[in-house]
Structure formats: structure tokens, C-alpha cells
Amino acid sequence: MRQKICDLSELAELSGKEFSVEKNEQNQDAFLIYFKQHCYAYENSCPHTGVNLNWQAEQFFSFDGLFLQCSLHGALFEPESGVCVRGPCVGSKLKAVNIEIDDGIVFCDK
Ligand code: FES
């Protein structure tokens, strides 16, 4: 079953949307980002300690807008791949969430 996250038209460059997905019969925090006119979605769980990456609602990008950044120890992740390129979990990867865009609406698998 798929779940609506938002309308594509709501997403500005470098914006983020928090949502949750069901995982092992529990809700898992997740987020959607819009980067270089593409959508990507990941579980909101830093590979270092498992905390949510963001410290402010719907803010996931580093100051320069080039990376996703964990608010706790500053790990930087490539937006397109979720790979950590700097920080304590370098080389590890955010877990991707499957999304699809249908008729201007962004959905994830629930
Ligand atoms: S918890 Fe994310 S870098 Fe340490």
C-alpha cells in the first residue's frame, strides 16, 4: 500500500518533509528531500547512533546546501546516495525509502 507524502509542487529546492513509514510493525521516522530537482527519501536515522538527523523541523541540509547533515556530530551525507562522506560514520549509508511520483504527488510504500 502506498502513502501520500506531499504534492510535488510543495517542494522547493533543498526542502525536506518528514513522514513515517511502517517497519517491523512500528513507525519509522523518515524524510523526503528535494535536491537538484529530484526527490530522495531516507529513514531519519543516523548510521552513527540512530538519532534523527535534523534538529529543526524539516531541515536536513548543511549550511552550504551540498550535503545532508546530522545535527548531533555533523556527519555529512550525499543527498543522492545517502553515503556518509565525512564524520564518525564515513562510508556508511542512510537507508533509502522507496518513493514514487504519480500525477504530481509523491508517495512512499507503506
Ligand atoms: S549521531 Fe549522527 S554523526 Fe553522530
Side-chain angles (χ1 to χ4, degrees):
M1 192 171 109
R2 62 186 194 170
Q3 162 192 346
K4 177 181 175 180
I5 303 173
C6 66
D7 292 334
L8 190 58
S9 61
E10 294 174 39
L11 298 171
E13 183 68 13
L14 304 183
S15 64
K17 288 272 177 201
E18 295 175 65
F19 61 100
S20 64
V21 290
E22 198 174 305
K23 182 176 179 182
N24 302 327
E25 298 181 8
Q26 298 200 329
N27 283 336
Q28 167 67 53
D29 290 342
F31 63 98
L32 169 74
I33 53 161
Y34 195 63
F35 181 72
K36 295 185 179 174
Q37 301 184 343
H38 286 87
C39 292
Y40 305 91
Y42 299 100
E43 293 183 7
N44 194 358
S45 176
C46 180
H48 185 210
T49 69
V51 299
N52 285 4
L53 275 81
N54 57 314
W55 62 277
Q56 278 191 324
E58 311 207 322
Q59 300 291 321
F60 292 92
F61 282 91
S62 56
F63 186 70
D64 60 12
L66 297 175
F67 298 98
L68 303 173
Q69 185 164 30
C70 178
S71 62
L72 194 53
H73 305 114
L76 297 176
F77 302 87
E78 292 177 338
E80 304 97 325
S81 66
V83 171
C84 180
V85 294
R86 190 179 307 160
C89 46
V90 70
S92 57
K93 201 173 176 183
L94 299 174
K95 289 192 181 109
V97 173
N98 288 331
I99 54 171
E100 67 180 77
I101 299 169
D102 186 6
D103 200 19
I105 300 172
V106 187
F107 294 94
C108 70
D109 292 333
K110 187 164 181 168

